[in-house]
Amino acid sequence: MTASTAPNNEQQRDHEPERPERPAKPAHQIPDVPRRLFFLSMGAGALTTAFQANIALDARFTERSQYRITTPDNDENKVAAARFPGKTWYLLGGFRVSYRDAGRKLQALQPAMNQRASASFIGYSNEGIDIASLFIAIQRDVFARKIDTVYFYGDSFGGMAAVVLASLLTQIGVKVRVIVMGSSPSDVADTLDPGKEYISIAGKVVPYLGLVGRLAAGLWGGLANPNGQGMYEAARSGVARSFDPNNNSLILSTTQATFLQAFPRQYDGDVPTSTGIGLIYDPEDFIVNAAQAIRGWESLLPSNPHFVYNVPHTGHASPEIHPEIYRTALMVVLDTLDPPPLTVKPEQPIF
């Protein structure tokens, strides 16, 4: 029974599946080196082009301003120019303050400024801040309008730039009568806001981010400050703001941050001691440590006359939001540091 039920060898072979034959082992091939080099070089070229386009596109979404000096053509400025020939104000915008926002700040301050001179504001270049190029633009304007006396209003970061520019203007014979610091830090250590972390790394990272960096910064800004919106809406609004053409380019923000971090090494100490230094601050400023900044300016310019005027509960560098308060502050500072000339002969006492 056992022998009859056991399958024979032929039946086993019929039921076994056929095993595929193993392919022959290929012979060793020499790698195609020129072909690999070609594709590597093409890939590197494509990456380089994309990288450059990423940075170039960032500037296309911003307003093109090349150290533009603007003097509003209004009656108040014309009257001031006639009353005070050879004199002008230059308002320098703050860190990441756009050209248009600088114009709004000047509009708020112009009535007070016109009590000493006509008023102008300066837009930085979106290709990056360069003090030498900025000075050349001012120098051309000074020569074109026959200016011999300059007043500076430094809005936040602009105060640092004003000190360096004042020294350069003095060297070409232009008198700098007053420099007003509108919430200006004297050192990067004076800054309190979270942007301080950005300032510390901006010079190393941001120039290489371009359009991608603009999107990431807008997304981060929206999520970090949702203002009561949901996370999705906050992210959308942040990205939308990143494409606002009134914003500065990341390259300008980066170079400003680098300048801010290196200050006051750029200052050569040549501002004359006759130049008055006005200091307008909110003691509760949430961006700049006001008390520390005031001490810093007094230490950097110890021989210059100083006058401090507090603008409490106004926040940081906000003349466009609180025009009346800032105009009053500026008038008091000017009356102290640069008293107006007497237009009426004072009455002489009888005895």
Side-chain angles (χ1 to χ4, degrees):
M1 290 291 291
T2 306
S4 63
T5 56
N8 57 31
N9 292 337
E10 292 181 358
Q11 289 175 329
Q12 275 187 330
R13 282 196 297 270
D14 291 341
H15 288 85
E16 285 182 357
E18 294 184 1
R19 297 178 181 177
E21 294 183 1
R22 293 183 179 179
K25 190 175 182 179
H28 179 69
Q29 294 182 351
I30 300 174
D32 190 352
V33 176
R35 186 178 180 182
R36 291 185 179 181
L37 287 176
F38 170 77
F39 283 112
L40 284 173
S41 61
M42 290 295 291
L47 286 174
T48 302
T49 302
F51 172 75
Q52 293 174 341
N54 176 48
I55 295 177
L57 282 171
D58 172 49
R60 296 298 296 268
F61 286 102
T62 59
E63 187 173 40
R64 306 291 291 176
S65 58
Q66 191 74 19
Y67 299 116
R68 198 187 315 176
I69 298 176
T70 301
T71 305
D73 186 18
N74 51 44
D75 292 340
E76 293 79 9
N77 249 351
K78 292 175 182 177
V79 170
R83 287 180 62 196
F84 309 105
K87 297 182 179 182
T88 193
W89 280 93
Y90 288 122
L91 183 146
L92 295 160
F95 180 60
R96 304 182 77 175
V97 171
S98 69
Y99 168 78
R100 293 188 183 183
D101 285 340
R104 283 190 277 268
K105 290 175 183 289
L106 183 88
Q107 184 179 12
L109 294 168
Q110 187 184 334
M113 290 178 167
N114 285 158
Q115 300 305 308
R116 296 298 184 280
S118 60
S120 305
F121 68 98
I122 302 173
Y124 302 121
S125 170
N126 270 325
E127 296 175 2
I129 187 172
D130 177 72
I131 290 295
S133 298
L134 182 56
F135 169 66
I136 290 172
I138 294 175
Q139 186 180 33
R140 288 173 177 168
D141 187 66
V142 162
F143 289 158
R145 294 199 283 153
K146 297 180 173 59
I147 301 297
D148 55 43
T149 303
V150 165
Y151 295 80
F152 276 117
Y153 186 96
D155 181 73
S156 191
F157 163 86
M160 294 175 161
V163 168
V164 179
L165 291 168
S167 175
L168 296 172
L169 284 172
T170 299
Q171 294 174 22
I172 62 170
V174 177
K175 182 179 180 181
V176 179
R177 188 70 193 94
V178 173
I179 303 173
V180 178
M181 307 295 180
S183 308
S184 302
S186 66
D187 189 282
V188 71
D190 299 339
T191 59
L192 302 172
D193 68 308
K196 186 175 181 178
E197 296 179 6
Y198 165 81
I199 291 169
S200 66
I201 65 171
K204 300 175 183 176
V205 177
V206 176
Y208 310 108
L209 298 182
L211 182 62
V212 174
R214 174 174 287 270
L215 287 170
L219 180 63
W220 178 84
L223 294 176
N225 301 283
N227 293 325
Q229 302 177 96
M231 300 301 284
Y232 176 72
E233 288 299 324
R236 282 190 61 185
S237 62
V239 170
R241 285 195 301 272
S242 72
F243 284 100
D244 183 352
N246 293 331
N247 291 334
N248 289 326
S249 71
L250 290 176
I251 296 298
L252 174 56
S253 300
T254 298
T255 52
Q256 285 181 320
T258 303
F259 182 95
L260 172 58
Q261 193 169 22
F263 193 85
R265 292 197 302 273
Q266 302 97 328
Y267 171 60
D268 58 13
D270 283 342
V271 171
T273 57
S274 59
T275 300
I277 307 298
L279 302 160
I280 301 176
Y281 291 82
D282 178 355
E284 300 171 350
D285 192 328
F286 58 93
I287 299 291
V288 169
N289 185 322
Q292 186 172 309
I294 291 169
R295 288 195 299 269
W297 288 119
E298 290 174 343
S299 176
L300 185 65
L301 303 161
S303 301
N304 295 74
H306 299 82
F307 185 76
V308 180
Y309 190 96
N310 291 333
V311 284
H313 313 304
T314 59
H316 175 74
S318 55
E320 73 279 21
I321 300 174
H322 305 282
E324 293 292 339
I325 294 174
Y326 269 81
R327 283 199 290 264
T328 300
L330 184 55
M331 285 301 304
V332 174
V333 167
L334 291 174
D335 287 344
T336 304
L337 297 175
D338 183 39
L342 292 175
T343 57
V344 179
K345 185 177 180 180
E347 296 182 3
Q348 297 294 325
I350 300 175
F351 301 103

